[in-house]
Amino acid sequence: MLGIIAGAIGSIVAAATSVVKSLSVVGLAVDGLKAIGSALVNLAKALGLIKPQMQVDELGDKAIQSGYDPEQYDTYAEYVKDVEKFDLDAEKSRLIPEEDKIRKGMELATGVMLEKHQNLPVERFCVEVGKRSDFFSESVLGEVGKLIDTDENYMSDILGYLDGSLKNDNKLEEVVGTLSDIYKECNPGISDSDALDAVFRERA
């Protein structure tokens, strides 16, 4: 049984590492990488998989310093919980490059989401949302996360709207309505038309 569990965790680790590596090929500067990493961690927070106060670089720092092996755990979620509890050594933190911390944090956020929602298009999400970090604030991502937790296929519809691949008129209307409602709720004081305009501007 332990071998089966280890194999499953190993697959998650491999998939998460692959996603982060593919994103890194873009050659983003640290700030750009952190924007995508933060979006990824914020979605994992919204899904209840990472502590609300945790930041992507802090999570990665803890994972690197702890040296914990995810394949020694029954689930990837248990591994992440132990990493979150780890106490950082400030001196060691200064010696670890920021980029390494961010990538490791992204890996953990990706892995814990893939374990719960195997069909989530996490890589696509990172690319599209990373381009739109002004729109996808932490509060907006929190609301999007609630939708995905209810129906994981909804992420594909949102991404299809953003990248222009969603063609079904009924689904387009639903996504626009949902995103504008979320945007208005998270930005009190703006009008319905301004919220709609904000959503329309994000479509490729």
Side-chain angles (χ1 to χ4, degrees), residues 16-190:
T17 304
S18 175
V19 168
V20 174
K21 279 184 178 175
S22 67
L23 290 167
S24 303
V25 171
V26 181
L28 292 170
V30 170
D31 285 349
L33 192 65
K34 190 167 186 177
I36 291 179
S38 294
L40 195 57
V41 168
N42 286 339
L43 181 62
K45 289 179 188 177
L47 294 171
L49 302 173
I50 288 177
K51 288 181 179 178
Q53 68 272 23
M54 193 64 59
Q55 301 303 312
V56 63
D57 49 352
E58 180 188 7
L59 183 64
D61 195 359
K62 284 173 176 277
I64 293 168
Q65 285 198 37
S66 70
Y68 296 155
D69 181 356
E71 296 193 47
Q72 298 300 312
Y73 290 81
D74 289 342
T75 68
Y76 198 86
E78 289 176 10
Y79 159 66
V80 172
K81 282 180 182 176
D82 264 7
V83 167
E84 289 177 322
K85 295 174 189 172
F86 182 80
D87 291 326
L88 288 171
D89 181 319
E91 288 298 323
K92 289 181 180 177
S93 291
R94 281 192 279 273
L95 298 174
I96 301 171
E98 186 73 4
E99 188 174 327
D100 291 353
K101 296 176 188 175
I102 294 167
R103 291 187 200 283
K104 194 65 178 179
M106 289 170 68
E107 182 185 314
L108 268 68
T110 301
V112 77
M113 284 194 286
L114 288 175
E115 182 175 62
K116 185 175 182 183
H117 299 282
Q118 296 178 8
N119 298 318
L120 279 183
V122 175
E123 183 177 347
R124 232 176 112 206
F125 168 84
C126 286
V127 172
E128 295 303 326
V129 172
K131 295 175 187 173
R132 302 168 173 85
S133 55
D134 288 342
F135 181 87
F136 285 97
S137 62
E138 187 166 352
S139 56
V140 168
L141 281 169
E143 295 303 312
V144 169
K146 291 175 188 175
L147 289 174
I148 294 166
D149 209 19
T150 305
D151 177 8
E152 64 181 35
N153 293 320
Y154 208 79
M155 181 189 273
S156 294
D157 290 342
I158 291 174
L159 293 174
Y161 169 76
L162 295 175
D163 68 15
S165 62
L166 184 64
K167 304 299 183 186
N168 183 296
D169 288 342
N170 290 332
K171 284 193 172 185
L172 282 170
E173 186 176 344
E174 181 186 346
V175 170
V176 168
T178 299
L179 287 179
S180 60
D181 286 347
I182 288 174
Y183 192 75
K184 192 169 188 299
E185 182 182 338
C186 295
N187 295 274
I190 70 167

Side-chain angles (χ1 to χ4, degrees), residues 9-19:
I9 300 292
S11 297
I12 292 167
V13 172
T17 304
S18 175
V19 168

